[in-house]
Amino acid sequence: MSMMHDIPTLLRSHDLRLTPQRLTVAGLVLSKQAHVTARGVYQQLKDDHPALSMNTVYLTLGQFEACGLLQRFEMNGNAVFDSNTARHDHASCSRCATIIDLPGEEDEPPWIPASLLDWQIQSEQRIWTGLCPACRTDSDSAQLSD
Amino acid sequence: MSMMHDIPTLLRSHDLRLTPQRLTVAGLVLSKQAHVTARGVYQQLKDDHPALSMNTVYLTLGQFEACGLLQRFEMNGNAVFDSNTARHDHASCSRCATIIDLPGEEDEPPWIPASLLDWQIQSEQRIWTGLCPACRTDSDSAQLSD
DNA sequence: TTCTTAAATAGTAAAGATTCCTAACAGGAG
DNA sequence: CTCCTGTTAGGAATCTTTACTATTTAAGAA
């Protein structure tokens, strides 16, 4: 996300026409740090914007990813789009499915294992899975009844 | 994979009945270091074993995972089962979809970021994506025609 | 060996995510 | 204003995975 551009300028700079649908989706996914799925975007917008189809959501998110405006990763078999395009990792709760960003290791240089020296690495993804603080507590007390 | 048990013994030790289907799937996925998908297993076995359904493949792989005989991870939206159950990372070619194991960092202790200290971490997954050596070469020459 | 029972299986249906297809539509340059 | 091309909605299609159910069967007991 860029502080120096409003959304129309940002889209125009990537040769994307300023359609109402695109502006709507952009307003949602580029304006705050969040992890969204195609379905999530559609659900949040469809009431206020009946002229919006799942198809367009998929296309738009894909275009934003191609432009580098969003970062895409897979979580539990679903595509998740992240407006935080800086290098960072994720953690996901295996119980409530919450996803959080982990602060990037700016001090730790992008490290590539020696066995990949003859590859042309494009990206790295790291995901920790476990119980978030809230679910860990719930799980502890649930053990009495389970 | 255990060197000290044959497959029937291994299955029995996990309270799994020795059905032909289960033995067949086990023979394929537990006998060599490989990454398989449910569909891949089914495709490889269905000709020689007509009495095998996708459903059974899914169930069997799921049971093997529950027993700790296989490790499961997601790649490109598909479930992948790995007979290498030791802690290790993966790299995947974005062009030919090949998946390779990266030698585990036995020297590097399981590292958990400070922001997850109040989580109960269950697993960590790290995936590098890029062009494998073969595809990188193909891609270089393809640029002339693309 | 035969019996018994719970586990396992095949087949089908269903659910959910994503892509494909196509005709209609509309942004924006000229 | 007009035209061209990118964009969109809607529906169909594809693919993966899970759910359901009647039937079969492994394996221990008699």
Side-chain angles (χ1 to χ4, degrees):
Chain A
M1 239 186 0
S2 164
M3 298 290 185
M4 23 182 154
H5 294 98
D6 55 8
I7 284 180
T9 308
L10 187 60
L11 296 186
R12 247 192 280 263
S13 74
H14 289 284
D15 291 318
L16 296 174
R17 286 188 187 173
L18 302 186
T19 70
Q21 293 90 337
R22 195 169 279 158
L23 287 166
T24 300
V25 173
L28 178 65
V29 303
L30 300 181
S31 296
K32 52 183 173 187
Q33 302 283 103
H35 308 100
V36 297
T37 61
R39 174 149 305 275
V41 170
Y42 180 70
Q43 294 292 342
Q44 288 182 66
L45 297 177
K46 66 170 182 175
D47 289 335
D48 289 340
H49 305 271
L52 179 69
S53 67
M54 272 297 282
N55 202 344
T56 298
V57 173
Y58 274 106
L59 282 168
T60 306
L61 293 178
Q63 287 167 329
F64 288 176
E65 183 206 359
C67 293
L69 298 174
L70 292 177
Q71 203 171 341
R72 177 189 183 137
F73 61 95
E74 303 278 338
M75 183 72 79
N76 304 322
N78 284 22
V80 178
F81 294 87
D82 191 343
S83 58
N84 178 2
T85 55
R87 196 224 161 288
H88 67 286
D89 301 322
H90 294 105
S92 166
C93 179
S94 54
R95 187 158 171 275
C96 68
T98 296
I99 301 173
I100 67 168
D101 276 1
L102 298 178
E105 320 293 321
E106 292 89 12
D107 50 330
E108 176 186 307
W111 177 78
I112 292 183
S115 27
L116 294 181
L117 281 182
D118 48 357
W119 285 52
Q120 180 181 321
I121 294 302
Q122 295 158 341
S123 67
E124 183 204 341
Q125 172 186 4
R126 195 163 15 172
I127 299 176
W128 278 270
T129 305
L131 293 174
C132 69
C135 287
R136 186 170 62 161
T137 310
D138 290 358
S139 175
D140 288 346
S141 38
Q143 286 186 347
L144 299 173
S145 49
D146 281 359
Chain B
M1 241 189 359
S2 165
M3 297 290 184
M4 25 183 155
H5 294 97
D6 55 7
I7 284 179
T9 308
L10 188 61
L11 297 186
R12 247 192 280 264
S13 74
H14 288 284
D15 291 317
L16 295 174
R17 287 188 186 172
L18 302 186
T19 70
Q21 293 90 338
R22 194 170 280 157
L23 287 166
T24 300
V25 173
L28 178 65
V29 303
L30 300 181
S31 295
K32 52 183 173 187
Q33 302 283 103
H35 308 100
V36 297
T37 61
R39 174 148 306 275
V41 169
Y42 180 69
Q43 295 291 342
Q44 289 182 67
L45 296 178
K46 66 171 181 174
D47 289 336
D48 289 339
H49 305 270
L52 179 68
S53 67
M54 271 297 283
N55 202 343
T56 298
V57 173
Y58 274 106
L59 281 169
T60 305
L61 293 178
Q63 286 167 330
F64 288 176
E65 183 207 359
C67 293
L69 298 174
L70 292 177
Q71 204 172 342
R72 177 189 182 136
F73 61 97
E74 303 279 337
M75 183 73 79
N76 304 322
N78 283 21
V80 179
F81 294 86
D82 191 343
S83 58
N84 177 1
T85 55
R87 195 222 164 290
H88 67 285
D89 300 322
H90 294 105
S92 166
C93 179
S94 55
R95 187 159 172 275
C96 68
T98 295
I99 300 174
I100 68 168
D101 277 2
L102 299 178
E105 319 294 320
E106 293 89 14
D107 50 330
E108 176 187 306
W111 177 78
I112 293 183
S115 26
L116 294 181
L117 281 182
D118 47 358
W119 284 54
Q120 180 180 322
I121 293 303
Q122 295 159 340
S123 66
E124 182 204 343
Q125 173 185 4
R126 193 159 23 168
I127 298 175
W128 277 270
T129 305
L131 293 175
C132 70
C135 288
R136 187 171 61 162
T137 310
D138 289 359
S139 175
D140 288 346
S141 38
Q143 286 186 348
L144 299 173
S145 49
D146 282 357

